[in-house]
Amino acid sequence: MAERLTPTKNALKRLTTVILLMLATGQPVAASTEPETTEADSLMVNSSETVPREERKIPDIWSIQAGATASYMIHAGPDIQAILHSFWASHYDIRLKWRQAKENTSPYDRALNRPIIQGGLLLGDFSRTKVYREESAYHSTIGRMWTLYGGMQLELAAGDRWSVGADLQNGISYCTDPYNEHDNADNNIIGSHFSLYVNLGLYARYRMTRRWHIALNIDFKHYSNGSLDRPNLGINAIGPTLALQYDIQPPTTDDNPDQEKRIIPAAQCQSTGQKLFNKKIYTDFMAGLGMKALIDGFNVHHSSHNPVYGFPTVMIAPMYHYHLAHATGIGIDYTYADYVYKIKEYDRILGFSNYDYSPHILGLSLRHEVFYRSFSLNVGLGYCLIKKTGHSADTNESKAYQHVALRYSLPFTGSRFYLGYNVKAYRFQKVDCIQLIAGYRIGW
């Protein structure tokens, strides 16, 4: 077993070595005044050594949030005013949130100021909402809406302790008490067990301690089955949300604002496989299968079993990709609505005449798409140039329409080919149909 050298013996050993070297070479050799580092000392030095900033793994930010919302149901239109007699409901929400640390971000994260990715469970309690017609012998109910959702929060401005931004959510909801012609006949609001859920909100958040935050939101919530079943007046509700957030993994001291402004040199982008952005004009071509149940048929049969009609739809849009995360253009939208002949039959049964019918629906729309990695959100505001689909459409719909599409671009195609779904609506509240879509970006 080797003898452990004391500092005195170390010094004598170094002095002896210096003298021997001087005798052998005839040249003076400077003795080091630094103490020799033993194996134990080396371990101690290495354990306390500061890792360079570039080599450190900054942990991402994980949080959990719980909140409650007082929601006021918007009751515009004679159909919903005839059955809805109380307007307040409650929402309870718990969600898990993730945000990349500033040192770990991709170009898309920096372009959108590191969006917060979230997923959660939402309970909408509409059980106390009064739903009935004056002539009805009983009250109907909407019941409760259980929702699984995903989404993101986009930070628009921030200080040392506060931040404000947008809160976007999309999910699938389950209704406990949808329309039933036997014992829930006045619930024309939610016509099926499953619905789509959308939330558009604005939040203001304040950090009270390193881990605890309080937030106040204004949220607009929408539930609709996308007209895949009838009835489907849908729920539109708005109200304040109060929430508490706890950071499971809080931001580190390295998560500083300076990192946000760092520009990656072109050579570094190429070496790490990050795609450089170049402005361009491309053509977005999309084809889809539209699906809807006809309100005209429900007005005749008043049944909870309504056939779903499928029809083709296409869109072509020249787009200007002026920012890594944004593109804007103009789209031409065409639908071949062969179900219009069934609407004509229903209109005849209901005694409506003097309407023109054509399966061709043509519109022009202003389009905008927001990109985040392989996902994108495409929205459109359009106007129908040709639309002749009978009494109900002429009475309850408008020439103006809206599109909201969620898309996933396949990475192995260079993000040119995408799949997704699209919701078409009129008057920002009446959903016309759901479309399953596939598309290709020409010149991307």
Side-chain angles (χ1 to χ4, degrees), residues 20 24 76 81 120 188 191 200 220 233 276 280 322 378 398 421 442:
L20 291 175
Q81 289 175 357
N188 287 6
L200 304 175
F220 172 79
L233 292 176
L276 292 174
K280 58 184 173 291
Y322 59 90
N378 185 286
S398 62
Y421 80 91
I442 303 171

Side-chain angles (χ1 to χ4, degrees), residues 84-95:
L84 191 62
H85 297 275
S86 63
F87 313 113
W88 287 98
S90 303
H91 284 89
Y92 307 96
D93 167 46
I94 185 167
R95 67 184 79 171

